[in-house]
Amino acid sequence: MSWLVAPLYDRIMRGTEAACLAAWRAELLADLEGDVLEIGAGTGANIAHYGPRVERVRYFEPDPHMARQLKTKLAADPKRGASDEVVEDLAAVADESHDAVVSTLVLCTVPDPTATLAHVRRVLAPHGRFVFLEHVAAHEHPERLAWQRRLEPLWKRVAGGCHLTRETAQTIADAGFTLEQLQRESMRKAVPWVRPTVRGVAIVR
């Protein structure tokens, strides 16, 4: 479905971006500096939120249809287009080479979050930060969680492998990170089954 969704993704997400996501992205990315790796960069929703202390962003987006949108948006941004790049292979990124890694609405879709987080740990420099924003299981609302479980098999098929019931904060902690900041909030203007979110900053223990 990606060939259909990618060109429409920004339009689909416009209301949610205006309601909360754009502000959350700006808050999370404002203090980053140095070299940044963004995994699962999608259509480039974070490009506009990287501040002047970020010297370079390397974007990893394995979906070719999303990557096409990302490259178009990056080329059109005079602040970022000259210094940033899209990388083809996460495994080829050097160890301890980045001051921060960014993941926004990504860990719900990867086949193996633990393996992805191992790459995040590998490429982070000592004292580097992992910045994340993800939708998660609705454990504080049992009725909504029950609907997430019912819908997940179909949702994964139509939404690029997106899982509705992942415990992402716990997975990050289990992968060897310390959660320095963690906030839970409902993603406004989104369909109910993806509204529960976590966002924050983690460092390698």
Side-chain angles (χ1 to χ4, degrees), residues 114-205:
T114 299
T116 299
L117 290 166
H119 276 298
V120 171
R121 288 193 63 184
R122 180 182 64 77
V123 304
L124 271 176
H127 311 297
R129 292 186 287 173
F130 175 44
V131 176
F132 59 91
L133 162 60
E134 303 288 346
H135 71 83
V136 292
H139 280 294
E140 295 179 0
H141 301 280
E143 189 171 316
R144 181 171 292 176
L145 177 59
W147 273 107
Q148 286 179 318
R149 288 171 173 158
R150 292 186 194 107
L151 290 170
E152 188 168 71
L154 175 62
W155 186 251
K156 286 190 295 185
R157 294 174 64 87
V158 301
C162 176
H163 294 70
L164 298 172
T165 59
R166 283 188 169 166
E167 303 278 2
T168 299
Q170 186 60 54
T171 303
I172 293 170
D174 290 344
F177 290 88
T178 296
L179 296 168
E180 281 199 325
Q181 301 173 28
L182 184 68
Q183 186 165 350
R184 297 182 183 273
E185 196 166 346
S186 179
M187 186 161 52
R188 299 183 294 279
K189 299 289 186 179
V191 293
W193 49 91
V194 299
R195 285 180 189 167
T197 69
V198 293
R199 65 183 189 273
V201 178
I203 59 171
V204 178
R205 286 202 293 267

Side-chain angles (χ1 to χ4, degrees), residues 15-36:
T16 306
E17 289 286 344
C20 59
L21 281 180
W24 294 351
R25 295 178 195 276
E27 168 198 326
L28 286 168
L29 305 180
D31 294 333
L32 297 185
E33 56 186 31
D35 284 350
V36 176

Side-chain angles (χ1 to χ4, degrees), residues 29 97 105 138:
L29 305 180
S97 57
L105 306 180

Side-chain angles (χ1 to χ4, degrees), residues 9-149:
Y9 185 81
D10 288 346
R11 188 180 306 173
I12 293 167
M13 296 296 292
R14 188 175 297 158
T16 306
E17 289 286 344
C20 59
L21 281 180
W24 294 351
R25 295 178 195 276
E27 168 198 326
L28 286 168
L29 305 180
D31 294 333
L32 297 185
E33 56 186 31
D35 284 350
V36 176
L37 173 67
E38 182 175 339
I39 60 172
T43 63
N46 287 328
I47 291 173
H49 300 294
Y50 287 110
R53 290 182 295 175
V54 171
E55 297 174 10
R56 181 180 68 164
V57 185
R58 305 180 81 190
Y59 300 88
F60 173 67
E61 175 48 63
D63 183 278
H65 307 288
M66 288 288 191
R68 189 174 301 118
Q69 303 293 316
L70 168 65
K71 290 174 182 177
T72 299
K73 193 176 294 184
L74 189 60
D77 190 308
K79 293 185 298 181
R80 304 258 35 115
S83 60
D84 298 350
E85 65 174 320
V86 178
V87 298
E88 304 290 337
D89 183 7
L90 187 59
V93 178
D95 294 359
E96 299 186 355
S97 57
H98 289 78
D99 301 293
V101 176
V102 173
S103 164
T104 57
L105 306 180
V106 174
L107 294 177
C108 59
T109 61
V110 298
D112 186 345
T114 299
T116 299
L117 290 166
H119 276 298
V120 171
R121 288 193 63 184
R122 180 182 64 77
V123 304
L124 271 176
H127 311 297
R129 292 186 287 173
F130 175 44
V131 176
F132 59 91
L133 162 60
E134 303 288 346
H135 71 83
V136 292
H139 280 294
E140 295 179 0
H141 301 280
E143 189 171 316
R144 181 171 292 176
L145 177 59
W147 273 107
Q148 286 179 318
R149 288 171 173 158

